[in-house]
Amino acid sequence: MAGLHKSEFANPVINWVESRLPIFTMMQKEYGVFPTPKNFNYFWNFGALAMVTLVLMIVTGIFLAMNYQPNTELAFDSVQHIMRDVNYGWLIRYVHQNGASMFFMVTYIHIFRGRYYGSYKAPRELLWMLGVIILLLMMATAFMGYVLPWGQMSYWGATVITNLFSAFPVVGPKIVTLLWGGFSVDNPTLNRFFALHYLMPFVLVGVVFLHVAALHITGSNNPLGIDVKSPQDTVPFHPFYTIKDSVGMCVFLMIWAGFVCFAPNLLGDANNFIPANPLQTPADIVPEWYFLPYYGILRSVPNKLLGVCMMFASILLLLALPWLDTSKVRSARFRPIFRILLLVWCLTFVGLGICGAHKPEGVWVILSRLFAFYYFAHLLVVLPILGKLERPLPLPESISNPVVRGAMGKVAAVLLIAGGLFGMQGVTPAHAEEEIVLPQQKWSFSGLFGTVDIASAQRGFQVYSEVCANCHAMKYLHYRDLAGLKLEPEQIKAIAAAVTVPQGTNDEGEPKEGPATPASQFRSPFINDKQARSRNNGALPPDLSLMINAREDGANHVYAILTGYADAPSTMKMQDGMNYNKYFPGHQIAMPQPLRDGQVTYADGTPTSLDQEARDVVTFLAWAANPEQTERKQLGVRVILYLGFMACVTYALKRKIWAAVH
Amino acid sequence: MAHSTASTDTHGHPADPSKRDMLELLAGASAALLGAGIAWPLVSSMNPAKDVLALSSVEVDLAPIAAGQGIVVSWQGKPIFVRHRTPEEVKAAQDAKPGELNDPQTDAARTKPGHEAWMVLVGICTHLGCIPLGNKATDVRGEWGGWFCPCHGSQYDTSGRIRKGPAPTNLAVPPYAFESDSKIKIG
Ligand code: FES
């Protein structure tokens, strides 16, 4: 028999809603008074942090989708449009781009916490399994999102990952064609990936809801891994854990903002600043850091089908974890052997990631096999047996009456060091070829607080216009953008008016030319790539808009190339039309030496040595590749200070609130 | 994360309740400010982007437009009417008494001195945004010989002023200037 819910709220409006839909009672029950073990440590922040990240990813994603074009012709350009023209577009995009990494960091720590404290054991098996499904969905979403910018890594990542399915006999190639909607990764693929990338986060929200609903049935685990015995063991979720989660959130947002404002491309790949080219694979193709361990497993197996199966199994096996671990004791605090072996397992996971970042040669193959072996052995052999053999330490009576202190600090330190190692190794893939060491220059724009030297960039623009622009386009720049180099509107108008650019068609339908306006793109020296090639010995002079981002250590790279011309050593056989350069990979470059002493005449009287010209043009290109960089760093300082202040306030409040419990 | 500062919490008895209240207020306020700080760039991103703002001017060659005729050009995505008025049309526009007008404005205030034959208007009905008819001599032009909006029957005179119908104001005049006698630049 249906009936109105009995409601006792004082506010009549709330009462009216409440008696028809008891949502306030529910919120009060699940998030207000919800009894929560009182002994959580900060590892219990990470579920809430993941939730915050998911929300921020969805919100920023929706605003990005308003300006993104899922079309192979337009996708790359539309991302640059977001970065350069849309108000705060760079901020929204960098938050989203780095957000993917933050999401995986937080989720991996959350999973580790579950593993360490045995949160997957009865009665929380289903809760854990839903978590594994969330991880899988996240991976699919992140992968498809990475394809959207349609750079070289997007394209080749999509090709490699979708080709994984071709390993399956008989149906494999059919599945791949189905995924592509064609016979290679192309426009239909990009289109559907966009549609699915937009959909999946909402599926994620659904599964996260189930994950949380299941949590609220079983209640939370806790660092001791023992059941709640009496009301004394718990505190109400609010305000005790809302405030504790808030402290964690402030610190977490500080780290995120740090990446966004000071190192937005640290976790990315330079190759993705080059538009997708289906005819050329980049020399090193490496997935994003969060996929590296699985990539390591894939490459440790010499057989294609087996490698793919192992990779999928490495995650799917986690679904069975509640039954593979036969020990009744949850928390690793009371399982001394398990604790060490779990850490070893985590290190093998990190190790697999490091292997995944290196070319599969020599020692890396052996290491990755060793690590992959332990990854599976731990789950399939060690856990079932250890549960039977290990003698756990005596469990405390209750949460309010613990006898031991955790060693999580030490554990966290070990993992932090391992993670740092992974970070250093992971983001700079080692090159197997002859190493070219770029001389490191001092740049005005480098470092946390460095800003572009405007005078130098202005001179660099002159060098670009008089020299480089004869062969290299910069199609993502417009004359109006020169306002960022502190040029006055009148100067910009004059600069633009001196250049003749195509201007659509005249009334008879013929192509028309005319003087550029501030709204015009920088003039391109060639009408199309074909003409560019045919006039340059078959080599295409690349667009320079993003050059500094599109090369590893871009500023030093470009400077080294510009100043690295020399006579070829007699031992070297030069090909026709090629020039010797000390720093160009392979040492043979099609571009003749572009800059020499006295190539240009500076109005401000700066001496025009080759070094000065190269330095100025690199400064200009660095500005052109990241025109937002000064604003970004300034914003970063303010945001981090603000969040730091908030962290202090919430922490002080947390101490006050918890004072009565401790 | 925004925890209510008006918490009904009765747990815990902190030594100094006033300090706790202060901290709660501070935390709540800074969280609200953070929320606003996150919302601001997102909302701002929906405003016109720099490339849209930059496409601000078009030039129109007047030479081919015969007296009595009008053309439509696109400026910032909006239709701009450029009409070459006949001397009679100019006179009719200039002679209108302020009392006859719903939105009184002289013809002189809507044209450029020395170029009274030329009427340049944003061709968007001020009622609900339809594009009025009347540029071609063969179009319906309404009782005042200017423009007629097919959507709900607003009638504009030869100066683009509203005379009859639901539209509240005259057709807008965009910013423009004569570059020469036969060329204008809009925007
Ligand atoms: S829109 Fe023109 S009369 Fe309604």
Side-chain angles (χ1 to χ4, degrees), chain B residues 124-132 149-156 165-167:
Chain B
I124 296 177
C125 180
T126 56
H127 181 224
L128 292 173
C130 292
I131 301 179
C149 181
C151 289
H152 315 93
S154 288
Q155 303 199 19
Y156 299 92

Side-chain angles (χ1 to χ4, degrees), chain A residues 389-420:
Chain A
L389 298 184
E390 189 181 22
R391 286 263 300 288
L393 304 176
L395 294 181
E397 202 106 306
S398 73
I399 292 174
S400 347
N401 196 8
V403 283
V404 283
R405 292 201 58 82
M408 208 55 194
K410 271 180 261 162
V411 171
V414 170
L415 282 181
L416 217 64
I417 292 167

Side-chain angles (χ1 to χ4, degrees), chain A residues 59 63 66 81 84-88 92 236 238-240 243 246 249 480 519 642-643 646 649 652-653 656-657 660, chain B residues 1 3 11-13 19-20 23-24 26-27 30-31 33-34 40-42 44-51 54:
Chain A
V59 171
F63 282 87
M66 292 180 192
H81 172 245
R84 288 160 191 271
D85 289 340
V86 173
N87 301 316
Y88 293 106
I92 300 172
H238 180 78
F240 291 94
I243 190 65
S246 299
M249 194 198 67
R480 59 181 158 84
Y642 183 79
L643 288 169
M646 256 187 92
V649 171
L653 182 56
K656 276 260 171 288
I657 289 173
Chain B
M1 87 130 273
H3 44 276
H11 326 276
H13 305 281
K19 191 163 171 204
R20 174 169 165 180
L23 281 171
E24 279 188 2
L26 205 57
S30 56
L33 203 62
L34 178 69
W40 173 261
L42 294 171
S44 168
S45 78
M46 294 177 74
N47 269 318
K50 281 193 208 124
D51 56 328

Side-chain angles (χ1 to χ4, degrees), chain A residues 303-315:
Chain A
N303 175 295
K304 181 172 172 184
L305 178 59
L306 197 61
V308 172
C309 290
M310 296 265 284
M311 193 177 78
F312 285 121
S314 67
I315 301 168

